[in-house]
Amino acid sequence: MLADVRGYLREDYRLFHLRDSRAEEIGYHYHEFDKVLFFYAGEVTYLVEGRVYDLRAGDVLLIPHHQIHQPIIRGGQPYERRLLWLSPAMLTEYGLSPCFDEAAATGSHLLRSGQEGKAEALRLAEELEEAEGSAAFASSLLGRTYCIQLLIALNRAYAGQKAQDTAQGRNDPKVDAVLAYLRAHLTEDLSVDALAERFHVSRSGLMSRFKEATGCTIHQYVVQKRLIRAAELLREGASVRDAAAGSGFQDYSTFLRAFRKRYGVSPKELR
């Protein structure tokens, strides 16, 4: 089973305000866009690339594009949150991607402290929702300005929290090391046996710890990251065979089948 690509964004941004009364089972997945989760209520644990976050009301979670994640939602109370989907192109255009870039690089995704910028971002999310639902003059333009202000506030809050080193989240250092190695060596032998030997841990122990921290198996994670890398290479102009080899697929026919299953088109069609 591959990670699901959940949701499609054809605008610069989209905001959702969701409240679910029943726990929903959502598999591990990733997005082609960046995402901000504003958490208000519920019993939810988020797994993001080996980090485990037990969310509290008022938390803000930054999830960069292509990062595999999974919410674990338990019953008891309604799960309420706002989700802001953001185009990476828009973030780059306005120079507002640093907080997502840092989250991806450092594995620190959560804003929990009393940073002024976080409170401002929560307020602006409400203002943005109101503007998006209004028919008043220039509401769309007003919403865009709120979105940009919100992103400025998030970047400031993230920078302040990073300086104080107050980010919350559980992690397994061994799994962190394995994840870093996988991302840096996609074209090499990444079998469970080879990894267990390299990191001096039993095969069963490694598989168990990896699944607990990420929500997926090592094989599933590797295949997904290789497919993401192959798609990037194709968009950069690489040939289909070069994209397969450059992302770590040793068998060309296996690559073609996995790629079509994930993206719904052949590598040539995507290119």
Side-chain angles (χ1 to χ4, degrees):
M1 181 176 130
L2 296 175
D4 188 17
V5 186
R6 290 180 66 93
Y8 294 91
L9 180 66
R10 295 179 176 85
E11 310 93 343
D12 281 344
Y13 66 89
R14 290 183 68 186
L15 180 70
F16 306 87
H17 190 165
L18 306 173
R19 189 174 188 271
D20 303 322
S21 298
R22 291 186 297 178
E24 177 187 2
E25 184 174 345
I26 300 176
Y28 67 96
H29 60 280
Y30 72 95
H31 307 288
E32 296 289 346
F33 48 83
D34 296 285
K35 181 172 78 172
V36 183
L37 168 71
F38 301 92
F39 181 72
Y40 301 105
E43 298 178 52
V44 180
T45 296
Y46 245 87
L47 311 181
V48 188
E49 293 280 346
R51 290 295 193 276
V52 182
Y53 301 101
D54 298 314
L55 298 183
R56 304 175 188 170
D59 282 350
V60 178
L61 196 65
L62 307 180
I63 304 177
H65 62 283
H66 293 167
Q67 291 222 306
I68 294 174
H69 57 282
Q70 177 185 20
I72 300 173
I73 307 164
R74 295 175 290 279
Q77 60 175 311
Y79 174 27
E80 183 178 4
R81 71 278 191 200
R82 282 188 176 93
L83 298 174
L84 179 60
W85 294 1
L86 297 155
S87 162
M90 185 194 77
L91 294 174
T92 300
E93 177 185 357
Y94 290 105
L96 295 170
S97 64
C99 59
F100 293 98
D101 297 338
E102 285 290 325
T106 64
S108 181
H109 307 86
L110 184 66
L111 286 169
R112 173 168 288 167
S113 70
Q115 289 290 326
E116 180 180 345
K118 193 197 80 165
E120 181 73 358
L122 287 164
R123 182 188 67 78
L124 286 164
E126 296 180 13
E127 298 279 9
L128 174 57
E129 181 177 356
E130 183 177 343
E132 291 289 299
S134 173
F137 174 75
S139 292
S140 178
L141 179 59
L142 180 61
R144 188 177 187 86
T145 63
Y146 283 143
C147 184
I148 293 171
Q149 290 179 63
L150 187 157
L151 289 166
I152 292 171
L154 283 178
N155 274 279
R156 290 178 175 178
Y158 191 90
Q161 176 165 281
K162 182 183 176 186
Q164 296 180 26
D165 193 28
T166 58
Q168 305 292 319
R170 291 180 281 118
N171 65 295
D172 182 330
K174 182 71 72 174
V175 174
D176 283 351
V178 173
L179 286 167
Y181 183 83
L182 295 178
R183 291 190 287 263
H185 298 84
L186 278 178
T187 60
E188 301 175 19
D189 178 12
L190 299 178
S191 66
V192 175
D193 288 335
L195 292 169
E197 181 178 355
R198 170 173 287 276
F199 289 95
H200 310 291
V201 64
S202 71
R203 189 178 192 276
S204 60
L206 176 59
M207 290 191 297
S208 175
R209 290 166 69 172
F210 192 93
K211 181 70 178 290
E212 182 179 358
T214 65
C216 59
T217 68
I218 292 173
H219 176 72
Q220 290 165 341
Y221 184 89
V222 169
V223 171
Q224 192 55 67
K225 289 298 184 180
R226 283 174 171 169
L227 288 172
I228 290 171
R229 179 57 182 151
E232 290 174 342
L233 291 171
L234 289 167
R235 293 183 180 114
E236 292 169 4
S239 70
V240 176
R241 288 193 176 275
D242 285 347
S247 56
F249 284 93
Q250 302 301 314
D251 183 84
Y252 187 64
S253 60
T254 298
F255 165 67
L256 293 177
R257 287 194 301 271
F259 194 96
R260 182 176 285 278
K261 183 178 181 180
R262 168 50 47 235
Y263 293 103
V265 296
S266 71
K268 184 177 180 180
E269 289 170 321
L270 180 68
R271 182 173 182 271

